[in-house]
Amino acid sequence: MQENQTIDDHLREALAHLEQAIDQSIHAALENHAASKELGGKWEQFLGKFYGMVKDRGKKTQINVLSWISFSKIR
């Protein structure tokens, strides 16, 4: 049970950091619309690294974390 709580804590903290990054990205884009392209690149890089990390861990462990997620339920 403690391990599940730790996972919940990490996910909650990650979500809080992502929320701050989204808010700051929106604020920066509103102040300087030309920054949108650079901000988009930062988000692409982040999501690419995240997706790559999940895929890499999956290959190493034979566990597909993405298969645990019902993407239709996310919407």
Side-chain angles (χ1 to χ4, degrees):
M1 282 294 192
Q2 180 62 30
E3 188 170 323
N4 282 341
Q5 184 60 45
T6 301
I7 293 167
D8 289 344
D9 291 344
H10 284 298
L11 290 173
R12 196 173 7 266
E13 187 174 342
L15 193 58
H17 285 284
L18 285 170
E19 184 176 25
Q20 289 175 353
I22 291 168
D23 289 345
Q24 288 180 5
S25 295
I26 291 170
H27 179 74
L30 289 172
E31 284 193 352
N32 179 7
H33 188 65
S36 294
K37 188 172 183 176
E38 181 182 349
L39 291 165
K42 290 177 185 291
W43 280 99
E44 286 173 356
Q45 183 179 18
F46 167 76
L47 292 171
K49 285 184 177 184
F50 173 74
Y51 184 75
M53 186 186 321
V54 170
K55 296 287 282 182
D56 183 54
R57 295 300 200 297
K59 285 180 184 177
K60 288 179 182 176
T61 63
Q62 303 277 315
I63 297 174
N64 181 0
V65 174
L66 293 177
S67 72
W68 301 344
I69 301 166
S70 171
F71 287 95
S72 62
K73 289 183 180 178
I74 291 175
R75 294 180 191 194

